Amino acid sequence: MKSILLTVLVACIATFTFAQDLNTAQINRCSSYEVFQRMLQSDPSFAKNQQSIEQFTQKFLSRGGTSSMRTTIGTPVYTIPVIVHVVYHTTAQNISDAQIQSQIDVLNKDYQKLNTDVGGVPSVWTGLVADCQIQFCLATVDPSGNPTTGIRRVSTTKTSFSDNDAVKYTSKGGDDAWPAADYLNLWVCKLGGGLLGYAQFPGGKAATDGVVITYTGFGTVGSAKSPYNLGRSATHEIGHWLNLRHIWGDDGSKCTGSDLVDDTPNQGGQHFGCPKFPFVSCTNGPNGDMFMNYMDYTDDRCMFMFTNGQKSRMYATLVTGGSRHSVTISGKCASQVAAVSNNAVIPNIISVVPNPVNNGSAAVSFKLDKAAQVQFIVSNVYGNTVSVISAGNQSTGEHQIRPSEFARFENGVYVIKLLANGQQLGTTRFVVNK
Ligand SMILES: [Zn+2]
């Protein structure tokens, strides 16, 4: 009996070790933090930029973060155009358009709380789950203004890449980045050493800005391999690109590190596989670690949430003045057009005061170079016209009107266009928050 038990025990240990090897030793889920540290050491401007980004973030958070914006719209406020660089050595690495689309679909679900597995969040945390209101689209306009599919395919002689950024340079066997101020660059290639992906935090060089994902951890079909075949590597890495840290605070398994987010529990170390809830560390009982957060290392099927605090931290990069704001207004994909016009292309020509409009009354200020018949068109975030306001004939110079129509606008985000003799002169975005 004893010897049978021992045999079973040995077999169990062997299996356990093997499983551990599969999950930990052969897989390097993410090297963003190592890249972050490397950049801090080697690039003084990155260190300086990160510092001011953090200051801006803390200021945004101290004012209440996204809750201070109190937008009531049910659709994404921010749309991020994506250029996917497929850098392939083998046919299998030249992943299909369908696989790329499957990844974009995952991002649009995960960043809008539309993922069906969100039901797996333990009930103690369901109140923290954020609809991040961030949407992704394949670019439809290239840097020269020509139409594009948002996908580039480049063959390479390199059999694999690492996190040394070679994949981001045509001269090093990769593919040059598109302007980082306008696009999220997403490289798909074979990463060596079991590395699934890495991202560059905000504040770094444009030439290396973006996210790299290995071709077996990208999307949900084709070459995507279990347990990393639900597109969560990109969800996780784009979190870093939007300035999120790992949920355990990157301090090994100690309890001193922080992810700089208030509503995530203090957590010892990272988790692999699919832990059972609750897993207590750092005296964070009874609920324990939030290992089902996208910023942990669990298997794709076991991570399914961002918190409101993480959303606020990401928003600090996307709002006006934020380090990623320019991407949200670049106009590089068709579905972003409405959002483009939400920020004044010519800022001084039209403005709404106060903004947010808080009691149904607001002044629209505008400037004319010559006398014209003036009209305003107000549209919602879906791009639907909600009001056409006629301001009659107006002379050259600055004007201010108080349209009565503002009183009937529901809470939300709107775009107002200034038309002079039927021609658009400028646009701006305003928020109604009664
Ligand atoms: Zn990571």
Side-chain angles (χ1 to χ4, degrees), residues 351-433:
S351 63
V352 174
V353 183
N355 189 4
V357 180
N358 46 28
N359 63 2
S361 161
V364 180
S365 298
F366 60 97
K367 204 155 82 179
L368 295 177
D369 284 341
K370 54 183 180 218
Q373 184 79 26
V374 171
Q375 206 178 33
F376 298 96
I377 296 176
V378 180
S379 51
N380 60 19
V381 286
Y382 302 97
N384 301 327
T385 300
V386 295
S387 187
V388 177
I389 302 165
S390 181
N393 273 312
Q394 300 282 352
S395 57
T396 309
E398 291 186 21
H399 301 273
Q400 196 173 71
I401 60 161
R402 290 188 167 272
S404 58
E405 283 87 342
F406 273 60
R408 63 175 174 81
F409 293 152
E410 303 275 317
N411 284 358
V413 178
Y414 297 87
V415 173
I416 183 165
K417 286 180 195 169
L418 164 62
L419 273 70
N421 296 332
Q423 270 209 321
Q424 186 178 318
L425 285 190
T427 73
T428 192
R429 181 172 69 158
F430 67 92
V431 175
V432 174
N433 183 16

Side-chain angles (χ1 to χ4, degrees), residues 29-33 197 236-237 240 246 248 295-297:
R29 192 106 171 71
C30 161
S31 62
S32 299
Y33 188 68
H236 174 105
E237 296 304 337
H240 289 311
H246 286 135
W248 67 94
M295 298 317 287
D296 205 323
Y297 275 0

